[in-house]
Amino acid sequence: MTSPSDAPTPPTPAPAPVADPGDAPSREDRDERPQYVLPLVVRLERATPPGRTDALETSARAVLTLLADPRVTEAGGEWAERVEAWEDARIRKVVRRARGGEWRRAGELPGVTVHGREAEVRVFPPVPLDGWPKELAKLQVSGTDLEETAEVGAPEPGLPVLWLNPELEMSAGKTMAQTGHAAQLAWWRLDEAQRKEWAEAGFALAVRTASPEAWEELVRSGLPVVQDAGFTEIAPGSCTVIAEHPALR
């Protein structure tokens, strides 16, 4: 229920536990390197689909959870090499949906399941574009969107917020990939102490749609912004999400 999309060339951040985006190759060089994708699978049972905002927030937290996992951050970690290769190329994320036996089989693969209020999202270490595990490759990418199941109020003061562009319409899956991008860009900008604090808070965050006036201010703020490659749904270069973390203000 989404499609591949790319984050922009990584900005110069604080030191990172994996490939330092400050030393990222040019876009042309990144395109020539082996391409990986980060798979995310959202559980979507027919009778109990999660709310849209809850799914968006849970997918962003899932990306952060993987980035902070010891299998990624520790020297010689099981997933460290794949994450480094993924970050050295285009930062692709694909969200697929599963239910019933499909979800159970996906859960048997190495990865991490993150729970929201209703949503369940499982994130897996990056795989080559043409090397998806068969249990994930057969899952559907498009076809179902999500509705809100509860009122979405203003975010709590001091909470990191991923702001959606009010002028764009994207499917739930596409938006889940975009909020994952925004969370990752914020992570790259934080120092180790700030990352640890966020992790200890369970990567608490909110996803909201900005007002047109607020969006214009956010674009000028210098906060991390996701620009989509335009492979699906929206035009190339569209700004989709801006990550507002209190530590980046």
Side-chain angles (χ1 to χ4, degrees):
M1 70 179 285
T2 191
S3 53
S5 74
D6 297 340
T9 300
T12 303
V18 290
D20 184 355
D23 296 327
S26 68
R27 180 168 296 231
E28 292 75 17
D29 289 342
R30 294 170 72 215
D31 287 343
E32 294 176 359
R33 296 188 176 198
Q35 299 295 306
Y36 286 76
V37 60
L38 186 77
L40 297 106
V41 175
V42 57
R43 184 176 186 180
L44 197 59
E45 303 291 346
R46 288 190 178 90
T48 56
R52 181 183 176 97
T53 295
D54 188 33
L56 300 180
E57 294 172 348
T58 306
S59 65
R61 291 174 48 238
V63 171
L64 292 166
T65 300
L66 180 127
L67 292 174
D69 193 288
R71 287 167 288 188
V72 173
T73 62
E74 293 182 355
E78 181 182 354
W79 299 342
E81 186 174 343
R82 276 191 280 173
V83 169
E84 183 172 357
W86 169 61
E87 292 190 318
D88 276 349
R90 284 184 176 266
I91 309 299
R92 287 179 165 93
K93 299 179 181 70
V94 173
V95 180
R96 299 184 179 226
R97 70 180 190 268
R99 59 172 59 99
E102 294 174 333
W103 175 255
R104 290 191 294 274
R105 286 188 289 274
E108 294 171 357
L109 298 176
V112 181
T113 299
V114 175
H115 299 263
R117 293 182 301 276
E118 305 165 328
E120 293 179 65
V121 176
R122 188 163 179 84
V123 61
F124 304 86
V127 298
L129 279 179
D130 58 355
W132 283 70
K134 64 180 185 299
E135 294 87 349
L136 303 182
K138 64 183 180 181
L139 299 178
Q140 292 190 5
V141 178
S142 60
T144 303
D145 213 329
L146 296 172
E147 303 294 335
E148 298 295 358
T149 58
E151 183 177 353
V152 179
E156 297 179 11
L159 196 67
V161 183
L162 308 179
W163 293 104
L164 305 178
N165 186 336
E167 297 181 356
L168 295 178
E169 291 188 7
M170 299 181 289
S171 68
K174 174 80 171 181
T175 312
M176 289 172 71
Q178 300 297 304
T179 57
H181 289 333
Q184 185 170 4
L185 292 180
W187 175 259
W188 279 341
R189 290 269 193 100
L190 300 176
D191 63 30
E192 290 300 322
Q194 292 162 343
R195 290 176 178 179
K196 181 179 180 182
E197 182 179 1
W198 202 7
E200 289 175 346
F203 294 117
L205 55 82
V207 174
R208 298 291 187 271
T209 300
S211 68
E213 298 77 17
W215 181 257
E216 292 180 4
E217 180 181 343
L218 287 163
V219 169
R220 297 190 298 267
S221 68
L223 291 167
V225 57
V226 179
Q227 291 181 285
D228 191 63
F231 293 143
T232 60
E233 297 194 25
I234 57 178
S238 298
C239 296
T240 58
V241 190
I242 293 176
E244 184 179 27
H245 192 289
L248 303 180
R249 278 293 191 179

